[in-house]
């Protein structure tokens, strides 16, 4: 017999995962749950991945991350230019790994334009 409720004890460190990564904005669409509009789904692309993984062959360059942003409509992201505007994920509410191969990521947080003046 399998144990139940183990999933609630698994933690994913989203802040650590993002270290060494640069993200570019791609697009925003409505985030719905049934008929309710909860906010936006913002798709980003990893444009640099210098993260040190335990396996040297691992690289997530070019992969996409979708961040669900509560209470913000897609037009709010209208000033961002696809593949040109660098963004960061802030105020991470939840980041959960899922899927048959544990290779999918569900993220709820906020998106901010990266301050390029600090570089």
């Amino acid at each position: 017999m399998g144990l139940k409720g183990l999933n609630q004890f698994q933690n994913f460190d989203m802040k650590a995962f993002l270290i060494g990564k640069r993200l570019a904005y791609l697009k925003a669409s409505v985030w719905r749950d049934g008929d309710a509009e909860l906010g936006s789904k913002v798709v980003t692309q990893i444009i640099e991945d210098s993260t040190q993984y335990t396996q040297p062959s691992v690289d997530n360059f070019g992969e996409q991350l979708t961040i669900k942003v509560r209470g913000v409509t897609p037009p709010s992201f209208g000033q961002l230019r696809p593949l040109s505007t660098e963004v960061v994920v802030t105020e991470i509410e939840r980041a959960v790994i899922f899927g048959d191969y544990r290779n999918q990521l569900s993220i709820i947080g906020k998106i901010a334009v990266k301050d390029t003046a600090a570089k």
Side-chain angles (χ1 to χ4, degrees):
M1 179 161 131
L3 298 172
K4 296 175 181 71
L6 292 178
N7 204 31
Q8 75 183 50
F9 297 100
Q10 295 180 17
N11 293 318
F12 178 72
D13 189 347
M14 185 69 187
K15 287 181 181 177
F17 176 74
L18 290 174
I19 291 173
K21 291 181 180 61
R22 292 177 43 224
L23 304 175
Y25 169 83
L26 287 180
K27 65 180 180 175
S29 61
V30 176
W31 170 25
R32 296 182 194 280
D33 186 5
D35 290 336
E37 289 187 13
L38 302 179
S40 295
K41 291 192 296 187
V42 178
V43 180
T44 65
Q45 185 163 6
I46 299 172
I47 57 173
E48 180 181 309
D49 187 2
S50 59
T51 302
Q52 297 299 310
Y53 297 96
T54 55
Q55 297 177 6
S57 63
V58 172
D59 185 0
N60 284 301
F61 173 79
E63 296 294 331
Q64 294 181 355
L65 295 176
T66 300
I67 297 89
K68 296 174 182 172
V69 182
R70 290 188 191 279
V72 180
T73 62
S76 300
F77 300 98
Q79 78 281 8
L80 305 183
R81 295 181 43 222
L83 289 174
S84 295
T85 305
E86 193 169 340
V87 296
V88 292
V89 182
T90 65
E91 298 182 40
I92 300 162
E93 177 184 325
R94 186 185 81 189
V96 178
I97 300 170
F98 70 97
D100 291 341
Y101 299 103
R102 311 286 296 152
N103 63 346
Q104 301 295 312
L105 189 55
S106 174
I107 307 163
I108 300 175
K110 295 193 176 178
I111 294 289
V113 174
K114 184 173 183 176
D115 180 13
T116 55
K119 280 189 168 184

